Amino acid sequence: MSVHTHTPSSRGDTTQAPPRRWLALTVLCVSLLIVTLDNTVLNVALPTLVTSLHAGPNDLQWVVDAYSLVLGGLLLVAGSLADRVGRKRAFCAGLVVFAGGSAWAAFSGSVNTLIAARCLMGIGGALILPATLSIITVMFPDNDERQKAIGFWSATSGLGIALGPIIGGALLEHFWWGSVFLINLPIAAVGLVCALPLVPDSKNPDARRPDLLGGVLSIAGLGGILWAVIEAPSHGWGSAAVLGIGGGGIVVLAAFIGWELWTSHPMLRLEFFRKRAFASAVACVAPTAFGLFGALFVLTQLLQSDLGYTPLQAGVRLLPTAGAIAVCAPLTTLLVRRIGVKGTVTLGLLCVAGGLFQISLASVSSDYTDILPGMILLGVGAGLVLPSATGSVMGALPKEHTGVGSATNGTFLQVGGALGVAVIGSLLSTRFSDRMTTGLAPYHLPPSVHGAVTDSIGGAESAAAHLGGRQAGMLMELARKSFVSGMHIGFVTGAAVLAVAAVIAAITLPGGRAAQRRDK
């Protein structure tokens, strides 16, 4: 039988009998799976979108990042809304919106329509993600049980990111690319039906009204920066448009911070960042997502366009990354007890950095086994960082602020992932285009053909299929060399970002559980 508790800070049936709590946790995590899954499920379909929707490399990055941008930009507003109106209500509403956006995306007939549908899915995901974590935090008052539950939540979150390409590949093997979105509908329906009787509701009766202007400013600022990074290969890194819009994005973000300091109901509670256990941990989530999302965006293209695997074969070959996350995430509770949050997070960041660097050493003659160690290291690192950093973030905050705290954690995850796709993808695209342009200079190709083959390896692959014979072989050899060269510079840059993050984590994170409690 459930035990009902009512506190000044969190109303509702938040304390349940142990079996019911864990059953409710399962419902929340399975529902969360579709949110994290959709960060990467489309990756294996990217080469298909090049031919089906005539998508260019910039289009592909926007299709991936539109979801992350809206999701990350609205998480803080949604977290505040969940604290105010009820976390269960926000969770259920999010499932409905997410399912509607998924159905729209599945039947999109153009790149722009698909991007718009992905934005709607981001709105639904923003309602789901912080609600799940805040419900879990309130539902498990015991610190050790809560850490185990958060480890399960983090494992599901990381597993969804890594399983996305595998599930996407399996669906593409038998259905059209839109099927990668339709899979969300039955999961959302089951989650909604099960959540109504099982998941307890809670809210903060003193929660302030949502900061809508802050949400708009954050999305506009991040959108401007992402536009500059993604479009730079096409317009030129020093072009007026890139510098102007990118600089404008930075100015808008500065205005956002100023607004958050001034307003009486900020969506980003800057005072939380005075706690080392919170600020340092949440800052470590972003570079982890930067490396993981950026790597998966590139690896799905490498496995298909360079190594010649089908979407399903490519997805299956990403299983070691998913498996490493699934194995390591639940074990972080034990590791944190032995070496503390500082040691666990620092080790995880170094693993992600090592994985990116190992994969960057691949050449045109490399095969799958040559990049396998790096893929495993990526999963191990993400499995170590995400649950331990998330536990530190949530443990540093009082229960009445769990919605905003979990949203802040999710925002850093999504923004870091969006930047990873944008930065690593744009560095790859720039190097690819430069190498292809130089290599094709003696052949004087028609402008339309030249543009297609220098845009992406998928475009070169389509052109080679029409050429046939020796010319096709020469074109694809040049395209593979250019792609691997671009991947090298993108992954080395990512490894450097993660290495710096590991040093910062080693300096700033509390040393252990005792240190974390003192920091509060």
Side-chain angles (χ1 to χ4, degrees):
M1 186 173 77
S2 299
V3 179
H4 299 272
T5 61
H6 298 275
T7 69
S9 61
S10 187
R11 282 200 299 251
D13 181 12
T14 59
T15 304
Q16 300 175 303
R20 187 180 177 88
R21 280 204 303 266
W22 289 99
L23 189 57
L25 173 66
T26 302
V27 172
L28 293 171
C29 288
V30 170
S31 301
L32 171 71
L33 192 64
I34 59 175
V35 178
T36 58
L37 192 74
D38 270 83
N39 281 296
T40 56
V41 71
L42 192 60
N43 283 2
V44 290
L46 295 178
T48 304
L49 295 182
V50 173
T51 55
S52 298
L53 298 182
H54 308 291
N58 297 359
D59 296 326
L60 298 181
Q61 286 173 270
W62 276 119
V63 166
V64 174
D65 269 357
Y67 176 74
S68 297
L69 173 62
V70 174
L71 176 57
L74 291 181
L75 275 174
L76 288 161
V77 174
S80 298
L81 183 66
D83 283 347
R84 186 179 176 88
V85 305
R87 291 143 187 166
K88 180 177 179 177
R89 291 181 183 179
F91 170 72
C92 293
L95 287 175
V96 174
V97 174
F98 197 92
S102 298
W104 187 18
F107 298 101
S108 299
S110 68
V111 170
N112 290 335
T113 303
L114 178 57
I115 291 172
R118 293 277 286 170
C119 289
L120 182 60
M121 293 171 64
I123 295 173
L127 290 168
I128 296 170
L129 195 148
T132 59
L133 188 53
S134 56
I135 290 171
I136 289 168
T137 304
V138 175
M139 199 164 55
F140 291 90
D142 178 74
N143 186 64
D144 288 337
E145 275 203 338
R146 184 172 65 246
Q147 186 63 42
K148 291 177 183 177
I150 290 176
F152 188 34
W153 181 93
S154 298
T156 305
S157 181
L159 190 62
I161 293 169
L163 279 178
I166 301 170
I167 294 175
L171 291 169
L172 285 172
E173 190 81 2
H174 303 287
F175 308 102
W176 93 113
W177 62 266
S179 62
V180 302
F181 298 113
L182 288 182
I183 189 66
N184 297 329
L185 272 61
I187 297 176
V190 171
L192 185 61
V193 169
C194 294
L196 293 175
L198 289 175
V199 174
D201 198 9
S202 62
K203 67 169 70 173
N204 176 10
D206 301 318
R208 301 170 181 177
R209 66 181 184 273
D211 179 15
L212 298 179
L213 179 58
V216 171
L217 288 174
S218 66
I219 291 179
L222 290 170
I225 294 171
L226 285 177
W227 187 94
V229 174
I230 290 173
E231 299 295 331
S234 298
H235 294 79
W237 288 90
S239 69
V242 168
L243 295 177
I245 295 178
I250 294 173
V251 171
V252 172
L253 281 185
F256 162 71
I257 294 174
W259 168 256
E260 297 303 290
L261 289 170
W262 181 83
T263 183
S264 61
H265 55 285
M267 75 177 207
L268 182 62
R269 302 293 293 270
L270 296 177
E271 67 267 23
F272 292 162
F273 287 86
R274 295 173 186 165
K275 301 174 181 285
R276 277 200 307 145
F278 178 88
S280 300
V282 80
C284 292
V285 170
T288 304
F290 181 97
L292 183 62
F293 283 44
L296 292 175
F297 177 77
V298 174
L299 285 172
T300 50
Q301 297 176 70
L302 172 74
L303 291 170
Q304 292 180 77
S305 297
D306 186 41
L307 297 182
Y309 294 114
T310 66
L312 176 59
Q313 291 170 337
V316 169
R317 279 159 180 79
L318 290 171
L319 189 58
T321 303
I325 293 175
V327 170
C328 292
L331 299 178
T332 54
T333 303
L334 300 176
L335 195 59
V336 167
R337 288 176 182 171
R338 295 184 66 88
I339 65 175
V341 173
K342 179 199 292 282
T344 305
V345 172
T346 302
L347 177 62
L349 290 169
L350 289 174
C351 285
V352 178
L356 289 170
F357 183 74
Q358 195 277 330
I359 298 171
S360 76
L361 301 177
S363 66
V364 290
S365 61
S366 298
D367 59 19
Y368 172 70
T369 58
D370 293 321
I371 63 173
L372 181 58
M375 293 170 58
I376 294 173
L377 277 175
L378 285 174
V380 170
L384 292 177
V385 174
L386 295 180
S388 51
T390 300
S392 179
V393 168
M394 300 309 293
L397 300 178
K399 288 182 180 179
E400 62 266 26
H401 295 305
T402 54
V404 175
S406 62
T408 304
N409 184 75
T411 294
F412 274 71
L413 176 74
Q414 295 299 326
V415 171
L419 286 172
V421 171
V423 172
I424 293 177
S426 291
L427 289 173
L428 185 156
S429 183
T430 300
R431 175 63 69 89
F432 179 87
S433 181
D434 289 346
R435 290 294 177 93
M436 289 294 289
T437 299
T438 302
L440 293 173
Y443 297 97
H444 305 291
L445 296 175
S448 59
V449 177
H450 185 275
V453 299
T454 57
D455 252 1
S456 66
I457 192 169
E461 199 171 19
S462 297
H466 287 90
L467 287 173
R470 185 179 176 186
Q471 285 183 317
M474 293 174 60
L475 178 60
M476 283 311 300
E477 182 180 0
L478 176 61
R480 283 192 290 269
K481 288 181 179 178
S482 301
F483 184 88
V484 170
S485 177
M487 183 181 71
H488 173 78
I489 191 172
F491 279 17
V492 166
T493 301
V497 169
L498 268 297
V500 171
V503 173
I504 294 174
I507 295 172
T508 62
L509 275 171
R513 295 177 66 182
Q516 184 173 330
R517 287 193 295 269
R518 288 195 302 270
D519 190 54
K520 296 182 187 180

